[in-house]
Amino acid sequence: VQLQASGGGLVQAGGSLRLSCAASGSIFSVNDMAWYRQAPGKQRELVATITSGGNTNYAESVKGRLTISRDNAKNTMYLQMNSLKPEDTAVYYCNARIRRFQTSAQYTYWGQGTQVTVSS
């Protein structure tokens, strides 16, 4: 099982980006998914979460600007990032709880990270 994050880049303040995170492999079900980010010199922080049923939660610092969504048929999660600020600059990581075929256990997987840089 792998998580592949993509969509990062360099954007000016006020601009937009859309991140994607695709899960692949021997997957029975993808359950809770989340985006985290880690800025230079700081700890990794939770940005947003989404359940398999589509319930979402956001960090206060991103509410109203970032929107998490998912396409269960594609095992893919998205993060639409609008009105970006320089303080959003970080490596963004995706995370998912996945149940594989032939097991009842769920495991946590991480994507490799994608860099988002917002210039002022």
Side-chain angles (χ1 to χ4, degrees), residues 8 11 13-14 16-17 19 21 26 35 43 46-47 60 62 75 80 82-83 86 88-89 105 119-120:
V11 64
S16 298
L17 283 173
L19 306 184
C21 175
S26 183
W35 287 100
Q43 289 189 331
L46 180 62
V47 175
E60 284 296 324
V62 306
N75 288 334
Q80 180 64 44
N82 298 329
S83 302
D88 294 316
T89 295
S119 63
S120 57

Side-chain angles (χ1 to χ4, degrees), residues 3-4 6 15 22 26 28 34 36 41 45-46 71-72 79-80 84 86-88 90 95-96 99 103 110 116 118:
L3 288 182
Q4 181 70 42
S6 61
S26 183
F28 179 81
Y36 287 75
E45 65 173 351
L46 180 62
D71 183 335
N72 290 333
L79 187 67
Q80 180 64 44
L84 283 164
E87 51 263 43
D88 294 316
N95 165 291
R99 178 182 170 187
T103 178
W110 288 90
V116 172
V118 184

Side-chain angles (χ1 to χ4, degrees), residues 44-119:
R44 190 172 297 189
E45 65 173 351
L46 180 62
V47 175
T49 64
I50 186 166
T51 67
S52 57
N55 293 319
T56 60
N57 277 293
Y58 296 92
E60 284 296 324
S61 60
V62 306
K63 281 183 179 178
R65 299 187 299 114
L66 274 58
T67 302
I68 190 171
S69 62
R70 63 191 287 171
D71 183 335
N72 290 333
K74 296 181 179 180
N75 288 334
T76 300
M77 172 178 65
Y78 305 98
L79 187 67
Q80 180 64 44
M81 310 171 72
N82 298 329
S83 302
L84 283 164
K85 303 176 181 180
E87 51 263 43
D88 294 316
T89 295
V91 178
Y92 283 72
Y93 297 91
C94 58
N95 165 291
R97 293 282 289 174
I98 295 174
R99 178 182 170 187
R100 297 176 297 182
F101 284 110
Q102 298 181 330
T103 178
S104 60
Q106 294 186 39
Y107 297 91
T108 298
Y109 293 88
W110 288 90
Q112 84 286 7
T114 184
Q115 176 71 47
V116 172
T117 303
V118 184
S119 63

Side-chain angles (χ1 to χ4, degrees), residues 8-40:
L10 173 64
V11 64
Q12 289 188 332
S16 298
L17 283 173
R18 189 191 195 207
L19 306 184
S20 298
C21 175
S24 61
S26 183
I27 296 171
F28 179 81
S29 63
V30 181
N31 302 305
D32 293 353
M33 303 183 80
W35 287 100
Y36 287 75
R37 67 186 181 186
Q38 187 166 18

